Amino acid sequence: FSLKATKRIFRPNLFTKRVLDPQTGRTRKVKLSAKAIRTLKKWAKEALVVAQESAADATPKTPEVDTKTEKPAEMKAPAKKKGPGSKSGK
C-alpha cells in the first residue's frame, strides 16, 4: 500500500452555546468545543452535589427516640443478619 496520505485539516468541534456568567448573572453566547461543554456539565453536577451536601449539613438533626426504652435510636443494638455463613438449625 502507498504511504502517501491526503492532507487533512483537523478542526475543533465547536458549538455556539449560551452560558450563564456567575459574576454578573447574565447569559452570554460563547463558542465552545464539545469537550468544554462536557466539562461544564460535569462541573455543574459537582456543584449541585456540594450544594446538596452543605444544605443537608445545615439542617439540625434531632435524635430519634425509641418510645419503648426512651433511649436514642443510635444506642440500640444492631439486628443480627442471617446469611449463608451463619450457623442456623439446618
Side-chain angles (χ1 to χ4, degrees), residues 27-65:
T27 57
R28 307 181 83 190
K29 282 188 177 180
V30 182
K31 280 193 175 183
L32 296 171
S33 67
K35 182 163 182 147
I37 294 170
R38 284 195 303 268
T39 303
L40 287 176
K41 285 182 181 179
K42 177 181 156 188
W43 288 352
K45 282 183 185 177
E46 290 174 359
L48 183 65
V49 169
V50 169
Q52 288 175 347
E53 288 176 354
S54 64
D57 291 342
T59 58
K61 294 182 180 178
T62 57
E64 295 180 24
V65 177

Side-chain angles (χ1 to χ4, degrees), residues 62-82:
T62 57
E64 295 180 24
V65 177
D66 188 9
T67 55
K68 294 178 186 174
T69 61
E70 298 296 327
K71 291 183 181 178
E74 295 116 21
M75 296 182 72
K76 289 194 303 184
K80 292 184 180 180
K81 294 182 181 178
K82 290 186 179 180

